[in-house]
Amino acid sequence: MDFQVGIVSEGVEDVSVISDCVMVGIFSKLEWEETDWPQGLDIQGEIFFLSSCHHTCTSSLYSFFIHFSSCKSSSIFIQMIPQQESDFDHNYLKPYYGKLFPFADIFKWMTYGHDGKHPGCDQSYFGRREFSFTLKGDFYLRFQSFNNALELENSIKEKCPLKIDIGPVYTVDPAKRHAYAQGDNNVFAPVERELIFDIDMTDYDDVRYCCRGADVCLNCWPLMTIAIKVIDTSLRDDFGFKHILWVYSGRRGVHCWVCDGKARRLTNEQRASIADYYRVYKGNENSHKKVSLMGAALHPFLATSYTNVLKDYFEKILLTSQNLLATEERYEKILSMIPDESIASELRGKWQDSRRSSSAKEDINVVRWEQCKQLLQSGKHKAQGLRRCVEEIVFFFTYPRLDMEVSKHMNHLLKAPFCVHPKTGRVCVPIDPNQCDEFDPTTVPTLFQLLEELNNEGLRADVNGEWNGTSLGNAITLFRSSFLEPLQKACKEEIERSYNLKLQQSKNSVGW
Amino acid sequence: MEIVRPQSHRNLFSSNDAVSVPSLPLYRSAPPLEVRLEDFESFAIDRLRVLKGISDGLSRGKKPEEMEKLVKELWKVNMRHQHASEVLNKDIISHFVLRLVYCRTEDLRKWFLSMECALFRYRFRFLTPEAQRAVMDNFDLTCRAVNNVEFESIKEKLGQVARSMGQPSPTVDAIFYKVPFEEVPELVAGRKVFISQGYAYVAMNQVVSLVATLFRSQLSKTLILTNRVAINCCRKWTSSIREQEKHRLTPIVEALSSSYLGPDFSQPREYAEISLKDIDQVAKSSFPLCMRHLFDKLKEDHHLKHGGRMQLGLFLKGVGLNLEDALAFWRAEFSKKVGLEKFEKDYSYNIRHNYGKEGKRTDYTPYSCQKIISSTPGAGDQHGCPYRHFSEENLRAALSRMGVNSRAMEDVMDKVRNRHYQLACTLTFEALHGMTCDAGINHPNQYFSDSQKILQPKKDSSAQNLVTARE
C-alpha cells in the first residue's frame, strides 16, 4: 500500500474536536476544503474514514477506514482496512443512473405541468431550463438543456456526471444563448427560478463543539432540524407558499426548493427581501455580538419561532448535547454576550466556583443556564438591553443561518435532489419537514448500499422502477406523495385557469 | 414629446385647469408637449444635478432626516422655473429626457432608477395627506384597506410589529393596507410589516415605501421598454425626431449620460503597474482600512473567503497589479494553506475571471464604498466596511494598529456611531496623511490614489488630471 498516515503531535488538540462524532467521506487532502482539514493531520491518498467505534460501515467501495478514538490524549489509534478500489465514478454511478435515478420524476417536476397535454401548455418550458453537470476531473458543463425526458436521461446516462445542478428557466434555450446574444441587446436572461435556500453546517462552526467543517453528527444535526422547522413554517404561514421541497445535501446541510408559481417568478429584489426577512445575524468575524434584537417586542415571526422551536431545542437538546456551558471557554462566550458587566461577573463568580452546590445529578449546563436566565430576567434588571439578552443568546446558538447569496439571485445553481454526494456516497434524499426530527443523516442510503441491494434483488422486473426494492424506495415515495403530486395538480389548475382567461379575453376582443 | 425650435414654443398644460394636475407626476406617458431645444438640455441638466446630489448624499451615509432636507433643498434650487405654471412641465420634460439618456445600458438604467425612486420617495413625503391620497388612488391602493373585522383579528400581531420598531401599538382607527408581500420588498426585508399567507399589512406611515415600489416597478418596466423601442438606442432614438435636429440632440444625450457617477476605477490610472515587491510597503502606507484588513488577514491565515477575495482582488487590480502578479500574489499565500494544486484547480480561475479572462469575459470593476458598505458579510467573512461591520472594540484596535492617534480616533468613532462610514474613513485618511481630503472617500481605489498622490508628490501634474476627471 503506498499510503501513509502521519500525525503531528501539535495537531492533536485540534483533532480532539472530532473525537466523538462520525466522519464519513472519501477524502484526499487535496479535496478537503482547507478549513475542514484538522491542523497537523497529514494524510495522503484517498481515504474513507470514520471516527468513533459506534459506526460500522458496510461499504467495500472505499479504500480505507481510519478509526480515531481517544483523541484527547496524544495517542491516536489508527486502523486501516484496505479495500479493493476507490474509483466510484463510472463503475458505480453508471448503474445508479441506469437503474435507480428517478428521471421521470425529475422531469415531471421540472415541467411544472407544461407537458404538452393541455392546449395552454408552454411547450418550450422544459427546454429553457439550465442543467449543469460536473464531470470527473472537475469539468463543468454549464447551460445544458433538453427538450424532453428522454434527452435528459440519455445525456446523464452517457456523461455520468458526479453532480447535477439545476439552474433557472431562461427566456430562450440556454444551449443556444450565443445565437440570441447578438448586438447590445441581450435577450438571454433568467425568467423563472425556484426560490431556494441553502443551509450549511460549516456556518455553524462557532456554535457547535462536536464537529467542525464538513462533518456532522447526531449532536449537531438538530441545528438543521431547527432550520427546517423555522423556515418551513414561515414559508407556509407568512409567505403563503405550499409547494416546498426539503432535501438533504448529501453531507453537511440541507437545501430547500420553494416551487409555487408565485415563488418561481419572484424578482431578485423580492428574493433578497425574503432572505433578509430571515436574517438576524449582523456583522462578521470582527464583531462579536452577532444577534441583536432591538425594540420592545419581537417581530411576530421571530417571536413564534422562538417560542415554538428555538427555545425548546436550545434548552432541551443543544444545551446539554453541545455542553454549551460546561467549560470556562464556553461560558465566557455566553457571558460576553451580556451587556451588563456586573451580571456577567456575578455569573462568572458563581461558575468559576465549580463546587457543585446543587445536586450533582443535574446537568451542569442546565443548572448554569437557569442561573443565567434567572439573573437576566429578574425584576431588578428591567433595562431595555437586558430584556432581549436571553433571547439573543438562544437565537445565537439556534437560529437558522442561511447562505444569503444563494437565495438572492435567480441564476444560482443548486444541486438536484437524488444526486449522489461524491465525497460521502450518500444520496440527496428529500426530508419530510413534518417529520424532520426523525431524519438521520448517518442512515441515508449510500450509493454502494443501493447497488448491493440492487444486486440482491436480482432481475425482478418492476413497473415502478428498480428502486422499489431498494432503500431509495421510501425516498421516492415521499418525493411523489408529499411534493410532486400536489405540485402537479396545482400546476395543471394554474395552466387551465390562465388558458380559460386567455380564451375569455380573445372572445371578448373578437366579439364586437 | 416633440422637440421644436424656440420660436414655436407652446405649452399644452397651461391651458389645463391647474388644480387637476397632480403635483407629483407619475410619468406614465410622455407628454404631448413641444419642447424648446435649449430647455431640452438645460432642464435635463438641472434634474441631473438633483439626482447626482441625492446619489452623493446616499453614498455619504446621510440619515433619512438629513436626506429629506437635502432633497428639498436640491429640488428647490434646481427645479424652479421663472413661470410657476412651467414648473410641472419642467419636471416632466426633464424626467423624460433623462429617461431617454439613461435607458441605454443596464448600469445607467440601474442608477437612474434608484435615484428617481429616491427622489419620488422624498417628494411623496412632502405632499399633503390629500395629495398623497391622490397618488395612492392612481395606484389603486385605497380599495385595499383592511376592514375592521380583519383588523380585530390581527390587531395583536400588528401591535407586536409596531413595538418591535419602537412605535406604539396601532389604534382602532389606524388604516392598514393589505398587499401581496412582493410589492413591499423593503418592508419585508426589514421585518417592518406583519406578513400572513402571502400578504403584508402596511401601516399608513409606511405607505411611502409601497408607493415607491409601485413607482419603481412601473419606471423599471418603461425604461426597458424605452430601450427596446429604440434598439441600439444611442443612434436610433433620434430617428423619431426630426432629421435636422438629430445632429444637435445626439451629442447632448451622449454627453449627459457620460456625466454621471464619476470614475469606476476599472482601469488603473496614473500609478499603474504596482509591482509585487512593493505591495507590502504600499499596503501599509496607502491601503484603506477595509483593504488593509483583508491584506493582513490573508497574510495571516493564507486564506480568504469568496467575498474577501473579490473585494481585495478587484481593488488590487484597480491599483495596478497585473494578472500575472495577481496570480503570483494569491498563489504565494493560498498555497501555504491549501497547496499549490488546489490553488490552481479551485482559485486561479476566479482570479482570471476577475481580470476578464474566463467565463463571460467581463472586466470587473473594483467595488465602490457604497457597494462595500451595503454588503452583508456573514460568519467567517472578512470583507465589508470595517467602519460599519466591525465591533467598536475591534475597530479601535484596527485603527490604532494603523497608527491613528487617540484624538483622531474619537472623531472617527463619532462618525461611526452616526453611521457616516465614509466620513469616518475620510477622517482616518486625514489623520494618517496629515492633510485634508475635501472630496471625501468614495472608493477604496480613490483612497489609494489620493494617498499615493500625497506620498509621491512628484507626479503632481497627472494627479491634477484625476481631480478634474472626478469632478
Side-chain angles (χ1 to χ4, degrees):
Chain A
M1 280 289 122
D2 55 343
F3 182 83
Q4 295 174 341
V5 176
I7 286 161
V8 184
S9 55
E10 307 94 65
V12 169
E13 209 179 278
D14 287 299
V15 177
S16 70
V17 293
I18 54 173
S19 67
D20 52 6
C21 69
V22 185
M23 298 178 25
V24 185
I26 317 172
F27 300 114
S28 72
K29 186 170 180 184
L30 289 174
E31 280 176 25
W32 271 60
E33 275 167 44
E34 56 284 357
T35 46
D36 302 341
W37 188 252
Q39 265 182 15
L41 195 62
D42 189 16
I43 298 182
Q44 288 151 10
E46 224 173 45
I47 53 160
F48 170 67
F49 70 88
L50 304 172
S51 73
S52 162
C53 38
H54 307 304
H55 199 274
T56 49
C57 182
T58 54
S59 165
S60 58
L61 173 58
Y62 307 115
S63 312
F64 304 103
F65 293 0
I66 294 183
H67 183 117
F68 287 106
S69 64
S70 68
C71 290
K72 276 171 188 135
S73 75
S74 59
S75 69
I76 292 180
F77 174 65
I78 294 172
Q79 184 188 9
M80 287 190 288
I81 306 167
Q83 302 282 326
Q84 313 96 334
E85 52 173 321
S86 64
D87 182 34
F88 97 158
D89 336 330
H90 281 263
N91 298 344
Y92 292 88
L93 277 172
K94 265 222 149 62
Y96 177 72
Y97 287 131
K99 301 192 175 213
L100 295 173
F101 190 80
F103 292 102
D105 296 79
I106 297 286
F107 175 74
K108 271 184 204 156
W109 168 26
M110 285 292 138
T111 53
Y112 289 103
H114 294 289
D115 53 5
K117 287 181 191 135
H118 192 281
C121 283
D122 176 356
Q123 302 284 359
S124 73
Y125 186 85
F126 181 75
R128 289 185 280 125
R129 167 79 71 167
E130 175 186 357
F131 289 85
S132 155
F133 299 150
T134 307
L135 306 183
K136 199 185 170 193
D138 272 354
F139 290 108
Y140 297 97
L141 292 179
R142 282 204 60 187
F143 301 115
Q144 308 291 299
S145 67
F146 308 98
N147 287 316
N148 51 51
L150 195 66
E151 277 187 21
L152 172 74
E153 184 168 348
N154 288 342
S155 177
I156 290 177
K157 280 179 178 167
E158 182 214 332
K159 300 200 173 79
C160 220
L162 293 177
K163 188 168 143 229
I164 303 165
D165 283 299
I166 299 177
V169 177
Y170 290 93
T171 41
V172 296
D173 179 351
K176 301 194 186 108
R177 66 196 180 285
H178 294 303
Y180 292 98
Q182 284 155 357
D184 293 339
N185 244 354
N186 198 348
V187 291
F188 179 66
V191 282
E192 266 194 35
R193 207 278 180 274
E194 292 77 10
L195 172 64
I196 51 175
F197 296 97
D198 180 5
I199 306 164
D200 195 310
M201 195 63 101
T202 37
D203 290 324
Y204 289 84
D205 277 0
D206 56 343
V207 294
R208 58 186 185 139
Y209 300 113
C210 52
C211 316
R212 277 196 335 177
D215 314 314
V216 291
C217 70
L218 293 179
N219 280 334
C220 52
W221 187 257
L223 289 165
M224 289 294 135
T225 312
I226 295 169
I228 296 175
K229 288 192 168 180
V230 168
I231 303 296
D232 190 73
T233 309
S234 161
L235 287 171
R236 290 174 204 273
D237 296 351
D238 300 358
F239 293 101
F241 296 126
K242 293 191 183 69
H243 304 287
I244 301 170
L245 174 68
W246 287 93
V247 185
Y248 173 52
S249 73
R251 177 147 75 161
R252 56 186 173 194
V254 291
H255 296 158
C256 173
W257 301 75
V258 188
C259 302
D260 300 54
K262 201 169 81 157
R264 301 198 307 269
R265 290 186 283 271
L266 292 170
T267 63
N268 283 345
E269 191 193 14
Q270 290 160 344
R271 284 162 206 267
S273 78
I274 297 177
D276 280 327
Y277 182 77
Y278 291 135
R279 192 162 81 104
V280 301
Y281 298 93
K282 302 258 158 69
N284 55 7
E285 284 296 281
N286 299 294
S287 66
H288 54 244
K289 191 154 180 187
K290 292 195 179 165
V291 182
S292 83
L293 309 167
M294 314 286 253
L298 286 180
H299 184 278
F301 156 64
L302 296 180
T304 319
S305 304
Y306 180 76
T307 42
N308 292 353
V309 183
L310 305 182
K311 185 166 177 288
D312 281 357
Y313 272 86
F314 181 81
E315 295 187 341
K316 294 188 182 139
I317 296 177
L318 293 168
L319 198 55
T320 48
S321 73
Q322 294 290 333
N323 276 316
L324 294 179
L325 286 161
T327 67
E328 180 173 347
E329 189 197 338
R330 293 182 188 182
Y331 69 62
E332 278 302 333
K333 189 169 191 165
I334 289 182
L335 291 180
S336 74
M337 297 166 71
I338 299 174
D340 187 315
E341 201 38 59
S342 70
I343 294 183
S345 60
E346 187 177 340
L347 286 169
R348 187 178 293 116
K350 269 188 194 163
W351 297 346
Q352 270 168 350
D353 226 16
S354 56
R355 292 165 287 131
R356 300 252 190 111
S357 46
S358 57
S359 69
K361 268 188 180 174
E362 256 193 290
D363 185 277
I364 185 161
N365 299 290
V366 176
V367 173
R368 287 178 172 172
W369 176 243
E370 286 306 321
Q371 290 169 336
C372 177
K373 263 202 319 194
Q374 204 181 12
L375 214 53
L376 284 170
Q377 289 173 335
S378 67
K380 51 182 175 171
H381 301 294
K382 271 274 165 74
Q384 191 63 252
L386 288 181
R387 251 161 86 178
R388 293 270 92 91
C389 196
V390 171
E391 279 119 319
E392 279 175 0
I393 294 170
V394 173
F395 269 88
F396 177 73
F397 282 95
T398 58
Y399 186 83
R401 300 178 174 198
L402 306 177
D403 185 337
M404 305 287 285
E405 293 308 313
V406 174
S407 309
K408 282 182 175 177
H409 302 287
M410 273 183 138
N411 52 7
H412 224 104
L413 299 168
L414 193 66
K415 183 162 55 169
F418 297 107
C419 279
V420 178
H421 193 287
K423 295 191 177 152
T424 61
R426 289 187 192 141
V427 179
C428 306
V429 293
I431 302 173
D432 182 354
N434 298 317
Q435 273 154 31
C436 55
D437 278 306
E438 273 101 74
F439 183 82
D440 178 353
T442 62
T443 59
V444 163
T446 63
L447 176 58
F448 181 76
Q449 185 192 338
L450 290 173
L451 296 184
E452 208 163 59
E453 287 168 2
L454 203 61
N455 282 338
N456 296 341
E457 277 295 300
L459 291 164
R460 205 187 58 147
D462 198 310
V463 262
N464 277 325
E466 303 262 2
W467 47 262
N468 219 17
T470 68
S471 34
L472 199 60
N474 290 339
I476 293 182
T477 311
L478 173 68
F479 181 77
R480 287 182 181 172
S481 64
S482 72
F483 171 70
L484 189 58
E485 283 154 17
L487 173 69
Q488 277 191 298
K489 192 160 168 275
C491 288
K492 295 255 155 85
E493 282 166 9
E494 195 186 311
I495 290 173
E496 179 79 39
R497 223 179 9 254
S498 66
Y499 179 69
N500 288 340
L501 200 70
K502 238 183 246 164
L503 275 187
Q504 202 65 44
Q505 278 167 350
S506 65
K507 249 185 215 154
N508 291 347
S509 65
V510 175
W512 65 77
Chain B
M1 194 159 55
E2 197 181 351
I3 289 92
V4 295
R5 298 211 166 264
Q7 61 270 25
S8 64
H9 174 235
R10 183 162 59 96
N11 181 7
L12 287 186
F13 271 18
S14 57
S15 58
N16 286 358
D17 180 7
V19 188
S20 74
V21 180
S23 55
L24 180 51
L26 301 176
Y27 316 108
R28 279 190 170 144
S29 54
L33 301 175
E34 292 178 347
V35 184
R36 287 189 300 175
L37 194 55
E38 62 257 39
D39 290 348
F40 184 89
E41 185 173 9
S42 72
F43 287 2
I45 287 174
D46 284 343
R47 193 182 191 89
L48 198 55
R49 288 210 181 96
V50 177
L51 299 184
K52 276 203 75 169
I54 293 174
S55 167
D56 289 348
L58 289 173
S59 67
R60 291 198 155 213
K62 281 196 190 297
K63 284 187 277 191
E65 317 84 73
E66 293 169 315
M67 279 306 292
E68 204 161 296
K69 227 176 98 192
L70 176 76
V71 173
K72 206 172 223 168
E73 193 61 29
L74 282 167
W75 189 259
K76 216 172 79 192
V77 171
N78 295 300
M79 293 305 285
R80 61 176 172 217
H81 195 280
Q82 67 265 42
H83 304 298
S85 61
E86 287 287 290
V87 170
L88 184 64
N89 283 343
K90 180 174 179 181
D91 180 2
I92 293 172
I93 291 164
S94 62
H95 172 88
F96 277 97
V97 174
L98 289 186
R99 194 189 273 194
L100 267 181
V101 172
Y102 280 85
C103 72
R104 306 192 305 170
T105 70
E106 179 68 34
D107 278 350
L108 291 171
R109 279 199 294 271
K110 222 170 143 182
W111 184 82
F112 179 66
L113 187 60
S114 53
M115 292 316 132
E116 276 288 335
C117 289
L119 174 63
F120 181 86
R121 177 181 293 262
Y122 289 108
R123 290 180 65 199
F124 182 81
R125 282 176 201 266
F126 303 147
L127 297 179
T128 61
E130 295 80 65
Q132 287 188 341
R133 200 143 301 158
V135 173
M136 287 163 65
D137 274 339
N138 260 307
F139 286 114
D140 290 332
L141 275 180
T142 19
C143 57
R144 302 200 306 206
V146 174
N147 65 32
N148 280 345
V149 183
E150 190 171 5
F151 178 80
E152 279 305 315
S153 69
I154 53 166
K155 198 170 64 179
E156 203 181 311
K157 302 281 185 191
L158 296 175
Q160 244 177 318
V161 177
R163 276 178 284 123
S164 77
M165 297 182 291
Q167 293 164 0
S169 293
T171 53
V172 200
D173 55 345
I175 303 171
F176 279 83
Y177 296 93
K178 181 179 176 179
V179 298
F181 75 86
E182 296 97 317
E183 288 179 12
V184 283
E186 177 185 278
L187 299 176
V188 173
R191 281 194 299 270
K192 289 180 174 150
V193 277
F194 172 58
I195 305 175
S196 176
Q197 290 306 320
Y199 287 94
Y201 293 81
V202 179
M204 189 60 201
N205 62 3
Q206 298 172 318
V207 150
V208 60
S209 89
L210 173 57
V211 175
T213 314
L214 295 172
F215 175 76
R216 187 193 170 94
S217 74
Q218 174 201 307
L219 182 56
S220 168
K221 274 184 208 132
T222 52
L223 269 178
I224 291 169
L225 208 65
T226 313
N227 188 32
R228 254 195 224 143
V229 166
I231 315 157
N232 289 335
C233 206
C234 47
R235 302 278 170 269
K236 267 212 178 144
W237 71 268
T238 45
S239 70
S240 60
I241 314 171
R242 279 184 211 165
E243 191 60 30
Q244 71 264 37
E245 303 296 355
K246 206 186 221 170
H247 64 283
R248 300 191 62 184
L249 290 177
T250 310
I252 297 176
V253 166
E254 290 188 344
L256 279 173
S257 69
S258 60
S259 66
Y260 93 116
L261 283 187
D264 62 5
F265 295 95
S266 57
Q267 297 302 320
R269 282 159 193 270
E270 72 275 30
Y271 298 101
E273 301 294 311
I274 288 281
S275 80
L276 206 48
K277 64 178 179 359
D278 301 330
I279 201 164
D280 285 322
Q281 190 260 320
V282 295
K284 270 204 189 71
S285 67
S286 297
F287 279 18
L289 180 54
C290 52
M291 299 302 168
R292 174 82 179 273
H293 173 71
L294 287 170
F295 189 83
D296 290 348
K297 274 290 162 196
L298 176 66
K299 294 269 167 182
E300 197 179 310
D301 300 343
H302 313 300
H303 185 259
L304 283 177
K305 290 184 109 179
H306 179 75
R309 296 200 297 270
M310 290 297 285
Q311 185 175 316
L312 179 62
L314 290 172
F315 169 78
L316 291 175
K317 185 175 97 168
V319 156
L321 200 64
N322 64 33
L323 176 60
E324 271 83 86
D325 281 355
L327 281 167
F329 169 76
W330 291 100
R331 187 185 297 123
E333 291 307 326
F334 270 60
S335 59
K336 287 181 196 160
K337 174 102 174 202
V338 303
L340 205 56
E341 195 172 329
K342 186 172 169 64
F343 173 81
E344 297 298 348
K345 209 171 85 183
D346 292 355
Y347 296 100
S348 66
Y349 176 92
N350 244 300
I351 295 159
R352 289 197 303 275
H353 192 262
N354 282 351
Y355 280 78
K357 302 291 178 217
E358 296 279 2
K360 61 176 174 174
R361 295 177 188 266
T362 311
D363 205 358
Y364 289 90
T365 49
Y367 292 173
S368 66
C369 287
Q370 211 173 351
K371 178 157 176 132
I372 292 172
I373 289 172
S374 59
S375 66
T376 50
D381 277 333
Q382 302 288 354
H383 67 278
C385 172
Y387 301 99
R388 163 145 194 216
H389 296 110
F390 278 23
S391 68
E392 179 164 344
E393 210 174 301
N394 282 339
L395 181 58
R396 278 178 188 277
L399 286 171
S400 73
R401 270 198 303 278
M402 267 186 118
V404 175
N405 65 37
S406 57
R407 202 157 47 89
M409 177 100 71
E410 289 317 310
D411 295 340
V412 172
M413 295 315 290
D414 187 55
K415 293 291 178 224
V416 170
R417 273 188 288 272
N418 289 310
R419 295 182 296 157
H420 296 304
Y421 309 115
Q422 287 174 252
L423 292 181
C425 190
T426 309
L427 286 180
T428 308
F429 180 94
E430 290 174 352
L432 293 176
H433 294 83
M435 296 235 195
T436 56
C437 171
D438 296 328
I441 299 296
N442 294 309
H443 200 295
N445 290 83
Q446 174 218 344
Y447 183 108
F448 177 80
S449 60
D450 285 1
S451 165
Q452 288 285 294
K453 222 179 297 163
I454 292 168
L455 300 173
Q456 300 181 13
K458 328 166 213 153
K459 300 204 176 177
D460 232 14
S461 56
S462 55
Q464 211 65 51
N465 290 335
L466 183 72
V467 172
T468 40
R470 193 175 305 119
E471 285 313 308

